[in-house]
Amino acid sequence: MRTGLMGGIALFGTLVVAACGGSTTTPTTSGGQPAAAPTGNPTTAVSLTESGSTLLLPYLQELVSPLTAAYSNITLAPSGGGSGKGISDAIAGNSVLGGTDAYLSPGQFAANPTLANIPIAVSAQGIWANLPGITTLKLNGDVIAKIYQGTITKWNDPALAALNSGVTLPSTTIAPLVRQGSSGDTFIFTSFLSATNSAWASGPGSGTSVTWPKVAAEGSASSNPGMVAACKAGCIAYVGVSASAAATTAGLVEAQLQNKAGTFLTPTPATMAAAVTAGAATIPPTLAVSLIYQDGAQSYPIVNFEYMVVNTKQSSSDIALAARTFFDWTIDPNGGSQTTLLSKENFIGLAASLPASVLATIKAKISSIST
Amino acid sequence: MSRPRRSHVRAGLFWGLCGVALVLIIAPAVDIILSILAHALPVLKPSLITETTSGTQLGLQNAITGTLALSLGVLIVAGTVGVLAGLYLSEFAPPRIAANARFFSEVLAGVPSIVVGYVGYTALVVGLHWHYSLLAGILALSALILPYIVKTTELAFSSVPRTLREGAIALGLSRGRTIRKVLLPPALPGVVSGLVLALAISTGETAPLLFTANFSDKNPSGLFNPVGYLTGVTYTDIQLPDPKTQAVAYAAAGVTVLLVLLLIFAGRGITLRSRRLIARMDV
Amino acid sequence: MISAPAGKVDAGRARHRLSQTELSRGDRVLRAVSAVAAMIPPGLLVFIALVMVVAAMPSIVFNGWSFFTGSVFNFGNLYATTTITHNGVAAPPQAAYGALPLIFGTFATSLIALLLAVPISVGGALMLSEVIPRRIADPLSVFLELLAGIPSVVFGLWGVAVFGPFIAAHVYPALSSLGHIIPFLKGPVGVGQGLLTASLVLAVMIIPIIASTTLVLLRRVPILAKEGALALGMSRYETAKVVTIPYIRTGIVAASLLGWARALGETIAVLLIIGDIYRIPGNIFGNGSTIAAWIASTLDGALGDFTGMGVHALAELGLLLLAISLLTNLAGRIVVRRVAGGVLPVGRGV
C-alpha cells in the first residue's frame, strides 16, 4: 500500500516535472539515447564573436542577418585574421568561435581537451593556369608537385603533354604561385601534393606554411583574389572555389585533376559531395579528417571541411546555448545550409553528403557545448 | 668669366634635381589617391556612413567611429606624454640624460608594428585579461608613434632662437611662464605638425591593432570592448573574393585619406591662429 | 646672438646653464611631470624588450647560434604526435629556425630606401622652402603629411598592382643592362614584385618623415645668415650649399634615423610587395622577405604549433630586429657626433 502510494507520488512527480519542461530537463527519446541539448533563443542578447579563416569569412557574413532573423538574441560577429588566430582565439577565450580550414592537430587536442572542431560546410580548391587559347588542361598531383619542386619547368614538358593528348601546350616557362604566409589553402594544397608525390611528402610536406622549393620563376600572393590577380601568362595557381568566378573572369583555365580512380574532374557540387561521402567512412570521433584524394570514381581530389573550433566548456549558459543554436541552424539545410547561401561561395552543405551516423556524431558534439 | 658660368650651370643642375625630387615626392601621392578613388567609386554611396560592416552590409560607420575613437585616445595618451617628454628633453633635461633618453626613443621607433601588437596582445589582452579592447589598441598605437612626437616636439622647442629665451630671463620670468608665453607660440607650429604627422601615421596602421583591438561590427561601445577601424576593413576585405567587398576596401582607404586631410587642415588652422597670436604678442 | 646647433651637447649645455635659474614650485612640478613623461619611451622600450626576451628564451635555447647562420625556416610537422628535443626544449619534428635570408632582406630594403629617401626629401624640402613661393609651397606641403597618412596596406596594394608593373616595364630593363658591371642587377626583372620595388615603395613611405622635418628645420634657418651670404654675392644654390644645409645637418641626420627606424619596422607594405618568400633573392628584382614581414605573415601559422616553439621563434626574430635597431641607432649617433663636429661656425657672433 505504502509502496503503491510512494510509486504514485513518484510517478505524479515525474509527470509534473516532465510537464513543466523548461530548458534544464533532458528528456530521453524512445531510442534510449540521450537527446540533443536544447537549442533556441537565449534570454539575453549574445554576441557570438568569431575570428579566423578568411575563406570562411564571406559565408559567415552571409549568415549574420538570417541567423538574427531566426533567433533575435543571437548576433554572429565574424572577423578574419587567419585559421591559426581563430584557433588560438577560441582557446584563449577571445572569441567564442574560431573558423579554420585546417583541422586541429593531435597536439592541439592533447593540450586543450575541451576543444572541438565541428565542420559546418565543405569547400574545395581549383588549380588554375594562365594559358591564353587553351580551354582544357589535364593535370595530376604528381606533375603539379614536380612543377612546384622545379623539376618540370616548361608547359610543353613531355610529362604534361602525355596527360593532354590532342592539345598543344606552349613552350613558356611555368611560373608557380604560392600563398604568402600561413594559409588554410596552402595546407589543403600541400596535403594534396603529399598524397600524390612521395618526394613532396618527405620533403616540404604539408602545413599552413611550408618551405617552398627554390623555383626561379616562382611568385607569391596574399589571398585567393590576390592569386588570381598575380597569375600572369604561364602561371599556375591554387585558388579556393569561392574565388572561381574571379578566376574565370580573369581568363584563367581551370585544370581537370586526376583523382585516385583515374578520372579527370573539376570541382562541382557533385564531385565535392562524392569526396565527402568517401571520406566519411574514415571520420574519427574528433571529426578531424582530411578529404584529400579520396576513393570513388567521381570524387574530386582537393576537397576539405570548413571547421568551426569551439571550447565545449563555455563561461555562461547563454553563450553555450547561442553556440549550440548557431551550429544547429548553420548545418540545417533550411537554415544556414540553404543552397542560396552556400552557393555564393561555391560551398556545399553537410546533410546532402554525409551518412546519418556521421551527422549524429556531429549533433552529439554540438550538444556537448555547455558550461 | 668662366666661374660665374660654371656656377650658373651647377646652380641650374642643383635646382633642377631638387625640382625632380619634389616631383618624385608629389607624383606617388597623387597616383595613390587617384587609384584609391578609381577603385572606390562603385561603392561611394551615403550608405557608407549610415551602415556598418555587419554581415553583408557595405557600410563603414563602425569603422569610421572606431578610427575616430582610436585617434582621440592616441592624441590624449601619446600626445600628452610625447609633448611633455619633448618639452623635458628640450628645456629641463641635463644634456647626458637628454642624449640617452633621445637615443632610446629613436630605438623604440624601430620596433616593427607587428611586434608592438604582439607585446600588446601578450601583456594587455592576455596578461591583464582585457581581451580584445579599444584601450589595448590605443596603447599599442601610442607606443608606436610616441617617438615621432617626442622628436618633433623637442625639435620645435629647441629651434626657438636663444634671443627669446634670454629676453625672458632678463625679464625675470619663471620657467613655466617662459615656456607658456615665450617659447610655446613660436614652437607651436612645429609641435602641431609633429602631432599631425604622428596621428596620420597611426591612422594608417593595421598590424598593431589586429592583435589588440581585433575588430568589431559595432560602433565603439566602451574602452574594454573590441572596436572597428578603417585599415582593418581594408586589410580584411581586400582578401575576400567579392568585387563589391574589394571596392569597400578601397572606400575605407579613401575615407582614411580624407580623415588625414581633415587632420592636416585642423593642424594648419591651429598654426595660423598661433602665428596671429605671435604677431599680437608684445613680449 | 643667434645660436647654431653646432654640437647638440654644446647647445644643450648652454640651455641647461640658462635653466638653472628661476625654478619656482610650479616649474618644479612641470619638470617632474615632464621628466616622468620623458622616461616613458625608454621604459616602454625596456618593457617591450623584456617581454620579447621572455617570449624568445625557449627558442634562443633551442637554436643557439645557428639562428643567425641558418637559411631554413620550417615550423615542422605540426600534425605529428611526437616532438624533437634540442638542448632540453621541445619542438615539432623537422622544425628549423634560421634568420639569415631575413636579415639580408631587412638590411637591403632599408638601406636602399634610406639612400634614396634622404636626397629626395632634402631636395624636395629645399625646393619648397627656398624656391617656390610660400603661397604655393604651403598647399604642396600638404602632400607630405598626406603621404604619411596613407595606410601601409594601401601602399602594398599600390606597389603590387600599379607601381611595380609600371616600373618593371619601363625602368628595370634599363637598370638591368648595368648587369655587366654589377651582377646583382642582372635580369630577369620580373613583373613588379621583389626586393627593389619593396625598397622603392619603402622610400616613398619614409620620405614624409624626413621631408617634413627638414622643411620645419629649413624654415628655422635664421634669415640673417642667408641674407649675409646673399650680400656676399653667393647665389641661392651656393647659399644652400654653404649656409642652409650645414646649419641643419644634424637635424637631417636625426630625421633620417627616424626614417631608417620606420623602414626597419615597416611590416605590411613590404610583406605585400617583396613576394614574402623565404630566400636571399638571386638579383635585386627577385622575391625575398624581411624580418618584420616574415613575423607578420607566419604568425598565424606559428599559432598552430601546439608546442609553442613557433611563436617563440618569431619572438626571437622580433628581438633580433630590436637589436638591429639598437645597433644601427648607436652607429647613427656616432655619425651625428662626427657631423656636428665639422659644422661651419655660421651665425655665431653675428
Side-chain angles (χ1 to χ4, degrees):
Chain A
M1 189 51 177
R2 230 196 250 134
T3 45
L5 189 58
M6 294 315 282
I9 293 173
L11 183 61
F12 182 68
T14 316
L15 284 169
V16 169
V17 171
C20 289
S23 48
T24 47
T25 57
T26 37
T28 56
T29 60
S30 51
Q33 286 192 327
T39 61
N41 205 17
T43 44
T44 55
V46 174
S47 173
L48 277 180
T49 47
E50 183 275 346
S51 58
S53 158
T54 45
L55 190 69
L56 204 45
L57 186 58
Y59 174 58
L60 295 174
Q61 286 172 333
E62 296 278 343
L63 296 182
V64 174
S65 311
L67 180 61
T68 309
Y71 298 96
S72 57
N73 272 335
I74 304 180
T75 316
L76 182 65
S79 58
S83 301
K85 180 164 188 279
I87 296 174
S88 105
D89 279 347
I91 294 174
N94 292 321
S95 303
V96 177
L97 305 164
T100 161
D101 323 307
Y103 42 85
L104 293 173
S105 67
Q108 282 169 325
F109 273 123
N112 307 281
T114 53
L115 221 52
N117 58 197
I118 301 174
I120 58 172
V122 180
S123 172
Q125 206 176 72
I127 305 292
W128 296 78
N130 191 329
L131 294 167
I134 306 288
T135 49
T136 50
L137 181 66
K138 290 196 168 87
L139 298 171
N140 62 28
D142 188 58
V143 299
I144 299 177
K146 294 200 169 97
I147 290 174
Y148 275 83
Q149 283 166 328
T151 42
I152 296 181
T153 52
K154 299 241 186 244
W155 280 109
N156 59 358
D157 191 284
L160 298 176
L163 292 169
N164 291 279
S165 58
V167 178
T168 327
L169 295 169
S171 59
T172 40
T173 317
I174 311 179
L177 276 187
V178 302
R179 279 287 287 278
Q180 290 172 351
S182 349
S183 129
D185 291 291
T186 302
F187 172 71
I188 297 159
F189 178 64
T190 49
S191 303
F192 174 59
L193 296 183
S194 292
T196 51
N197 182 301
S198 52
W200 189 276
S202 52
S206 67
T208 52
S209 90
V210 298
T211 312
W212 299 98
K214 273 196 179 48
V215 177
E218 194 169 61
S220 70
S222 72
S223 62
N224 275 322
M227 290 284 259
V228 172
C231 199
K232 307 290 182 218
C235 106
I236 184 171
Y238 54 95
V239 181
V241 282
S242 54
S244 293
T248 316
T249 319
L252 306 178
V253 58
E254 189 169 30
Q256 295 169 24
L257 294 183
Q258 192 175 35
N259 68 4
K260 210 169 191 176
T263 334
F264 287 91
L265 300 163
T266 56
T268 65
T271 58
M272 287 162 70
V276 176
T277 315
T282 53
I283 204 164
T286 57
L287 299 171
V289 72
S290 168
L291 299 174
I292 304 286
Y293 209 53
Q294 293 292 331
D295 293 314
Q298 285 298 302
S299 303
Y300 183 70
I302 318 185
V303 181
N304 68 293
F305 277 129
E306 290 294 319
Y307 288 96
M308 237 3 160
V309 170
V310 64
N311 197 334
T312 51
K313 251 189 109 41
Q314 286 296 325
S315 55
S316 94
S317 57
D318 265 348
I319 298 182
L321 175 63
R324 290 196 302 266
T325 312
F326 161 78
F327 279 110
D328 206 62
W329 177 86
T330 304
I331 62 177
D332 186 343
N334 298 320
S337 288
Q338 297 166 39
T339 333
T340 43
L341 291 173
L342 287 167
S343 61
K344 282 208 183 101
E345 313 302 323
N346 292 323
F347 291 168
I348 63 169
L350 300 177
S353 39
L354 284 175
S357 57
V358 178
L359 285 169
T361 315
I362 295 179
K363 295 257 166 152
K365 231 355 158 233
I366 296 174
S367 286
S368 68
I369 305 173
S370 64
T371 49
Chain B
M1 288 311 285
S2 62
R3 189 185 160 257
R5 208 186 302 142
R6 246 192 294 134
S7 63
H8 271 307
V9 169
R10 241 181 267 149
L13 198 68
F14 178 74
W15 292 117
L17 283 175
C18 286
V20 169
L22 190 60
V23 169
L24 284 177
I25 296 177
I26 297 185
V30 173
D31 193 42
I32 296 177
I33 293 171
L34 286 177
S35 311
I36 295 175
L37 281 176
H39 278 102
L41 237 43
V43 275
L44 279 179
K45 291 180 219 136
S47 61
L48 268 183
I49 311 181
T50 54
E51 290 180 350
T52 66
T53 55
S54 175
T56 48
Q57 288 177 297
L58 296 174
L60 290 174
Q61 190 190 71
N62 55 317
I64 296 175
T65 51
T67 303
L68 287 173
L70 282 165
S71 301
L72 188 66
V74 162
L75 188 65
I76 295 173
V77 175
T80 315
V81 174
V83 170
L84 280 172
L87 186 69
Y88 179 76
L89 288 181
S90 161
E91 302 305 310
F92 292 111
R96 267 295 109 108
I97 296 184
N100 289 329
R102 220 176 280 136
F103 172 72
F104 284 118
S105 182
E106 277 158 18
V107 174
L108 182 63
V111 180
S113 47
I114 188 76
V115 168
V116 173
Y118 196 71
V119 170
Y121 175 77
T122 313
L124 305 172
V125 175
V126 175
L128 289 179
H129 300 294
W130 285 1
H131 295 288
Y132 290 129
S133 55
L134 170 62
L135 189 58
I138 291 175
L139 293 179
L141 279 180
S142 300
L144 211 62
I145 66 166
L146 199 56
Y148 299 103
I149 300 180
V150 173
K151 162 71 63 197
T152 48
T153 304
E154 193 207 339
L155 220 57
F157 275 104
S158 62
S159 301
V160 175
R162 197 123 77 113
T163 40
L164 286 178
R165 289 173 202 274
E166 291 171 344
I169 293 174
L171 286 170
L173 291 175
S174 70
R175 296 292 297 161
R177 262 264 165 86
T178 313
I179 291 169
R180 217 173 47 242
K181 293 278 182 195
V182 179
L183 299 177
L184 189 58
L188 197 61
V191 172
V192 169
S193 85
L195 277 171
V196 166
L197 190 70
L199 271 178
I201 295 176
S202 86
T203 44
E205 282 294 337
T206 326
L209 294 173
L210 289 173
F211 284 91
T212 47
N214 199 37
F215 198 79
S216 166
D217 287 329
K218 299 200 278 261
N219 287 318
S221 48
L223 280 173
F224 290 98
N225 290 333
V227 74
Y229 39 95
L230 291 165
T231 44
V233 174
T234 308
Y235 183 68
T236 306
D237 280 5
I238 205 69
Q239 301 177 52
L240 305 182
D242 189 350
K244 279 205 290 266
T245 324
Q246 299 228 323
V248 175
Y250 282 99
V255 177
T256 309
V257 173
L258 262 168
L259 275 174
V260 172
L261 213 72
L262 275 164
L263 249 178
I264 296 173
F265 286 133
R268 267 151 213 251
I270 300 177
T271 309
L272 264 164
R273 284 195 46 229
S274 94
R275 270 204 212 122
R276 288 201 207 110
L277 265 167
I278 304 173
R280 274 195 248 124
M281 242 162 58
D282 37 87
V283 168
Chain C
M1 185 166 59
I2 301 167
S3 60
K8 232 357 197 297
V9 181
D10 244 15
R13 255 193 223 120
R15 269 205 311 278
H16 189 60
R17 246 178 281 129
L18 284 175
S19 78
Q20 289 319 303
T21 55
E22 315 288 333
L23 273 181
S24 73
R25 225 192 57 166
D27 295 344
R28 253 173 272 150
V29 169
L30 181 61
R31 185 177 64 173
V33 167
S34 61
V36 168
M39 288 307 124
I40 289 183
L44 261 176
L45 185 66
V46 171
F47 179 69
I48 293 176
L50 267 170
V51 172
M52 295 305 285
V53 167
V54 169
M57 198 44 81
S59 172
I60 296 175
V61 170
F62 182 83
N63 290 318
W65 292 109
S66 67
F67 183 70
F68 301 98
T69 52
S71 297
V72 178
F73 199 96
N74 202 339
F75 285 121
N77 185 358
L78 302 179
Y79 282 85
T81 43
T82 55
T83 59
I84 57 172
T85 322
H86 192 78
N87 295 339
V89 189
Q94 295 165 292
Y97 312 104
L100 197 57
L102 303 175
I103 298 175
F104 174 83
T106 306
F107 272 108
T109 49
S110 305
L111 267 171
I112 297 175
L114 193 70
L115 285 172
L116 286 169
V118 173
I120 294 177
S121 303
V122 175
L126 270 171
M127 202 68 185
L128 282 174
S129 87
E130 308 297 310
V131 176
I132 297 183
R134 196 66 187 251
R135 269 179 302 116
I136 309 176
D138 270 349
L140 277 182
S141 65
V142 167
F143 276 106
L144 281 179
E145 285 154 355
L146 205 62
L147 211 55
I150 295 178
S152 54
V153 56
V154 171
F155 269 113
L157 291 172
W158 173 77
V160 175
V162 178
F163 180 70
F166 171 78
I167 216 170
H170 295 104
V171 179
Y172 287 177
L175 196 60
S176 69
S177 62
L178 289 171
H180 310 298
I181 317 165
I182 311 169
F184 199 55
L185 291 179
K186 236 186 285 204
V189 297
V191 289
Q193 280 185 328
L195 189 67
L196 186 56
T197 316
S199 310
L200 293 174
V201 175
L202 211 53
V204 176
M205 292 178 78
I206 69 177
I207 279 175
I209 303 170
I210 306 177
S212 49
T213 314
T214 309
L215 194 59
V216 170
L217 288 167
L218 281 170
R219 295 227 167 101
R220 293 270 163 237
V221 173
I223 206 112
L224 278 171
K226 289 197 280 192
E227 285 179 345
L230 283 171
L232 285 171
M234 293 203 255
S235 71
R236 250 188 327 198
Y237 155 61
E238 284 163 340
T239 313
K241 193 172 85 163
V242 168
V243 175
T244 319
I245 295 183
Y247 195 85
I248 59 171
R249 245 200 286 196
T250 50
I252 295 180
V253 175
S256 309
L257 277 177
L258 221 53
W260 165 258
R262 175 117 210 254
L264 278 181
E266 178 48 51
T267 314
I268 292 187
V270 174
L271 155 61
L272 290 173
I273 305 174
I274 202 169
D276 196 36
I277 297 184
Y278 181 84
R279 66 165 74 129
I280 297 180
N283 61 18
I284 206 173
F285 311 105
N287 294 345
S289 190
T290 65
I291 297 176
W294 192 250
I295 295 175
S297 72
T298 56
L299 182 57
D300 191 51
L303 289 171
D305 181 349
F306 62 95
T307 63
M309 187 52 76
V311 177
H312 295 314
L314 293 185
E316 192 178 356
L317 274 177
L319 195 60
L320 175 61
L321 195 55
L322 213 62
I324 291 178
S325 180
L326 198 88
L327 289 168
T328 49
N329 267 283
L330 255 164
R333 271 267 106 229
I334 300 174
V335 171
V336 170
R337 220 161 273 159
R338 233 178 255 154
V339 165
V343 161
L344 292 171
V346 171
R348 245 189 266 153
V350 171

